[in-house]
Amino acid sequence: MAYDMRDDLEDIYFTEQQLADKVAELGARITEDYRDKNPLIVSVLKGSYVFMADLTRAIDAPCNVDFMVVSSYGVGTKTSGEVQIIKDISQPIDGRDLLIVEDILDSGVTLHYLMQVLKARGANSIRLCTLLSKPARRKVEVKVDYLGFEIPDAFVVGYGLDYAERYRNLPYIGILKPSVYGGA
Ligand code: IMP
Ligand code: MG
């Protein structure tokens, strides 16, 4: 039998329909809040690429889009430590209203750092939209303005989220079987 990615999943956590409903709800709120602001919507790659594509199409107001790539901090790096910007926003953000789009807020270290860097560049406002949040894992506090779902401390994949660079193209979000991690 051919390999099927779905066999690696223990369970589906959020279906395509649940995700679509949530994206529509967030898009409507963002449309209201940013109607006359022409926001710059910034996706933090790679995990947020699917969410970004769906969310921006659910926003019924003028906006610009851009993308950043930041390195994940390595094991043993201090939690307050530097996060490296691998690819930066390709336009000035001075005076702009920024909306940062993330896939999942975990420790918060990456986002905390990123928000500080962008604030220092003179943006008029910066808000954060994250599809998922794991509050139990937080190491630094990060204010979330638009939240999709809170989830417990489980490792999820799909809808842009990966494990070892796989499963990003699953159209829903699932939990991996422990055996995929080399566990039980
Ligand atoms: P942090 O908030 O700085 O710890 O970084 C969060 C990043 O860790 C996310 O952008 C994801 O790339 C990754 N991550 C955290 N939890 C998960 C998960 O459950 N599945 C897939 N990626 C995750
Ligand atoms: Mg990410």
Side-chain angles (χ1 to χ4, degrees):
M1 262 265 284
Y3 167 69
D4 187 335
M5 280 191 294
R6 282 165 294 200
D7 294 340
D8 292 346
L9 301 182
E10 193 158 87
D11 219 339
I12 293 182
Y13 210 92
F14 297 113
T15 63
E16 287 185 69
Q17 190 59 55
Q18 284 174 307
L19 292 169
D21 290 348
K22 187 55 77 175
V23 167
E25 181 192 315
L26 291 171
R29 280 179 56 202
I30 292 166
T31 301
E32 274 301 302
D33 294 353
Y34 285 91
R35 199 175 286 291
D36 302 310
K37 295 201 164 121
N38 190 36
L40 176 59
I41 305 181
V42 177
S43 155
V44 185
L45 295 172
K46 299 177 206 169
S48 68
Y49 82 103
V50 178
F51 179 44
M52 176 71 168
D54 284 345
L55 181 70
T56 50
R57 286 178 296 169
I59 296 171
D60 185 19
C63 65
N64 302 130
V65 300
D66 215 318
F67 301 87
M68 289 187 91
V69 179
V70 295
S71 71
S72 41
Y73 45 95
V75 180
T77 332
K78 43 187 188 333
T79 51
S80 59
E82 299 279 296
V83 174
Q84 214 188 334
I85 297 177
I86 310 286
K87 186 227 169 288
D88 209 335
I89 299 172
S90 60
Q91 54 199 295
I93 62 170
D94 201 60
R96 297 300 304 269
D97 291 298
L98 257 59
L99 180 63
I100 310 300
V101 175
E102 253 287 25
D103 50 351
I104 185 163
L105 190 56
D106 191 54
S107 72
V109 171
T110 311
L111 257 294
H112 177 78
Y113 175 82
L114 200 59
M115 302 290 267
Q116 281 188 328
V117 168
L118 296 177
K119 258 175 216 156
R121 290 190 199 166
N124 182 54
S125 70
I126 305 180
R127 285 187 183 174
L128 174 63
C129 175
T130 184
L131 178 63
L132 304 175
S133 173
K134 293 180 189 171
R137 298 260 308 166
R138 207 76 84 243
K139 285 185 187 143
V140 290
E141 209 194 310
V142 176
K143 183 173 175 278
V144 179
D145 302 283
Y146 305 95
L147 171 66
F149 303 99
E150 277 192 356
I151 62 169
D153 183 12
F155 201 82
V156 292
V157 295
Y159 200 70
L161 291 151
D162 75 305
Y163 171 68
E165 291 300 329
R166 284 158 58 193
Y167 310 105
R168 292 194 197 273
N169 58 322
L170 285 171
Y172 44 78
I173 290 178
I175 300 189
L176 278 184
K177 284 179 181 163
S179 57
V180 179
Y181 299 89

